[in-house]
Amino acid sequence: MVKKKLHTIARKKTSYLLAALVITAWWWLGTSGDSKPPVNAVHVTVAPVVRRDVPMQVALVGTVVPYETVAIKSRLDSQITNVHFHDGDYVKEGQTMFDLDDRAIKAAIEQLAAALAKEKAQLTNAKLQYERSQKLIKTHVVAQAQLDETKAAYEAQLAQVNAAQANLDNERVLLTYTKIDAPISGRTGTINVTRGNNIKANDTQALVTINQITPIRVQFAVPQRYYGQVKTALQDGNVTAKAENKESKGAADGTLEYVDNGIDVSNGTFAVRAVFSNKDEKLWPGMFVNITLDLGMEKDALTVPSVAVQGDEQNHFLFTVDSKTNKAVRTPIDVSQNNGDIAIITKGLSDTDQVIIDGILRVTDGATLDISAPAVANDKTQSKPAESLPSPKS
């Protein structure tokens, strides 16, 4: 009897346990079934379209060129007698760099000076003869023809003196060519012709080349779609530029100084030059550098994370979220530029849209979405300036 009662109690406990498990399973399925993502939904992360003030920056690649460059050549056929600098030295404008053999020119100067003295002596005699004839003509001692002859002789001798003086002056100018001075301040290159060598006037090979690198220029090409912005920025004031490369520490600051007067039809760009003080010689002629051109600030621009933008050089698009159907929508857009991790959108979006920034490779137009991280509220504060990167169109 006791065993029967114990068996009955055990059976009732088992029944209660099974009922509890069924109720728990039913409750779990009822409460969690609605939150499960639909079958084949794509797991993505989204971000809002944000209005903000964005620095208008264009990132390009430029080439460093000397501010001025001079190939030093001789103006005489002569011999180098002395060199006053070494390869790579910094020379100042007016500093003597080469001495040439000047003995022949000095001798010629002495010869021409003597010839000038002779011509002047003859001029003095011709002048006396002319003045004497002028006095005698009044007393009718000499004829008018003789007066005319002495006058002509005096004027001819005056011309001879002027010619002799010009020859002497020319030779003295040639003497100055025997000292070759630096026409600009800058860094010298390799000395191609050393002391003791004979040289020719305007030879094809330069004695040395001077590059002015303080200040220095960087030349680069800007896509024509930025022409209006560059022109407007120049009218508003100085356009600043930064130049840097991987090897240099920090960027060099400069200003835009020149815009070419035409656009290259072969590639749709226009040439631009910026000048940098380069006092620390961080920039060197021939160096390739990354240029960031600052064109001011674009107010209240529509922006999205750059990772959301897809497409090629001509067409851009991204995926937005249809809030009613929770599906992806392929949306064509126009991108004016990329500023760091921010893309500025000029067409195709509004500030109420949300864009997909993660999981894009699995998304297709109309795909059902599983959004794991809902978008945050729009941030309308000014964006932090970031390093400028090329636009997807560039």
Side-chain angles (χ1 to χ4, degrees):
M1 188 68 176
V2 174
K3 290 183 178 180
K4 186 175 181 180
K5 288 182 178 180
L6 292 174
H7 180 71
T8 302
I9 293 171
R11 188 170 55 185
K12 288 181 178 180
K13 288 183 176 180
T14 303
S15 299
Y16 292 153
L17 180 60
L18 290 173
L21 289 174
V22 171
I23 292 171
T24 302
W26 174 83
W27 176 84
W28 184 84
L29 291 173
T31 56
S32 62
D34 293 340
S35 63
K36 281 187 175 182
V39 178
N40 298 326
V42 180
H43 181 76
V44 297
T45 304
V46 298
V49 178
V50 178
R51 286 193 178 274
R52 68 183 82 197
D53 296 342
V54 183
M56 295 295 294
Q57 296 175 330
V58 183
L60 304 156
V61 176
T63 304
V64 181
V65 295
Y67 192 83
E68 288 183 318
T69 184
V70 177
I72 303 297
K73 296 183 179 181
S74 173
R75 291 173 157 185
L76 302 171
D77 293 344
S78 187
Q79 184 184 58
I80 297 176
T81 59
N82 204 359
V83 179
H84 296 279
F85 68 103
H86 299 92
D87 296 336
D89 278 357
Y90 183 86
V91 295
K92 294 183 178 181
E93 182 178 351
Q95 176 181 332
T96 298
M97 303 177 66
F98 296 93
D99 288 333
L100 305 183
D101 187 0
D102 59 2
R103 292 173 297 176
I105 295 178
K106 285 182 176 180
I109 288 175
E110 292 180 0
Q111 183 179 7
L112 291 174
L116 176 61
K118 179 182 177 181
E119 297 295 341
K120 284 183 176 180
Q122 293 178 354
L123 176 63
T124 300
N125 181 61
K127 182 178 180 181
L128 292 174
Q129 294 294 333
Y130 175 52
E131 291 174 348
R132 186 177 296 113
S133 297
Q134 285 179 316
K135 293 178 180 179
L136 294 176
I137 194 66
K138 296 177 181 180
T139 60
H140 305 285
V141 174
V142 297
Q144 182 64 39
Q146 187 175 355
L147 176 62
D148 294 341
E149 289 177 0
T150 55
K151 181 181 178 182
Y154 168 70
E155 292 177 348
Q157 189 58 40
L158 181 61
Q160 290 291 333
V161 169
N162 291 336
Q165 182 67 58
N167 290 334
L168 179 60
D169 292 342
N170 180 68
E171 203 67 23
R172 285 173 176 167
V173 170
L174 294 179
L175 181 63
T176 64
Y177 296 166
T178 61
K179 287 188 178 297
I180 301 177
D181 299 333
I184 61 172
S185 298
R187 288 280 177 187
T188 62
T190 302
I191 301 173
N192 297 316
V193 185
T194 55
R195 185 179 63 177
N197 285 282
N198 293 327
I199 55 176
K200 294 182 179 180
N202 297 316
D203 203 353
T204 55
Q205 183 183 38
L207 303 180
V208 71
T209 299
I210 303 175
N211 285 335
Q212 184 176 356
I213 59 176
T214 309
I216 203 167
R217 291 184 170 108
V218 176
Q219 185 166 307
F220 48 99
V222 180
Q224 68 178 14
R225 66 177 178 275
Y226 294 111
Y227 174 75
Q229 297 176 12
V230 172
K231 183 179 180 181
T232 301
L234 281 173
Q235 292 173 344
D236 293 341
N238 290 333
V239 177
T240 61
K242 292 184 180 294
E244 61 183 333
N245 62 3
K246 295 180 179 179
E247 291 75 20
S248 62
K249 296 180 180 179
D253 295 323
T255 56
L256 193 67
E257 69 161 3
Y258 165 78
V259 176
D260 198 7
N261 61 355
I263 295 176
D264 189 341
V265 296
S266 64
N267 54 27
T269 63
F270 57 96
V272 170
R273 272 204 312 257
V275 61
F276 298 81
S277 60
N278 202 37
K279 293 181 179 179
D280 54 3
E281 296 186 352
K282 190 178 295 184
L283 303 177
W284 207 251
M287 180 184 290
F288 290 100
V289 293
N290 295 320
I291 290 289
T292 302
L293 197 61
D294 190 354
L295 301 177
M297 188 76 70
E298 183 166 336
K299 301 291 186 179
D300 202 30
L302 284 177
T303 65
V304 297
S306 297
V307 295
V309 179
Q310 301 184 71
D312 53 26
E313 295 182 357
Q314 302 298 328
N315 301 293
H316 297 86
F317 70 92
L318 46 69
F319 287 102
T320 58
V321 179
D322 187 333
S323 59
K324 295 181 179 179
T325 63
N326 207 41
K327 292 186 177 182
V329 179
R330 189 183 189 276
T331 306
I333 57 172
D334 286 346
V335 180
S336 66
Q337 75 165 66
N338 279 353
N339 190 334
D341 56 357
I342 296 173
I344 300 177
I345 309 301
T346 57
K347 184 179 179 181
L349 294 179
S350 68
D351 53 9
T352 60
D353 289 328
Q354 294 180 353
V355 299
I356 298 175
I357 60 174
D358 189 28
I360 300 175
L361 295 179
R362 300 186 299 273
V363 176
T364 57
D365 190 22
T368 302
L369 303 176
D370 170 26
I371 303 174
S372 63
V376 297
N378 282 7
D379 177 12
K380 296 187 178 181
T381 58
Q382 180 174 333
S383 66
K384 181 180 179 181
E387 179 185 359
S388 175
L389 297 175
S391 166
K393 291 183 180 180
S394 61

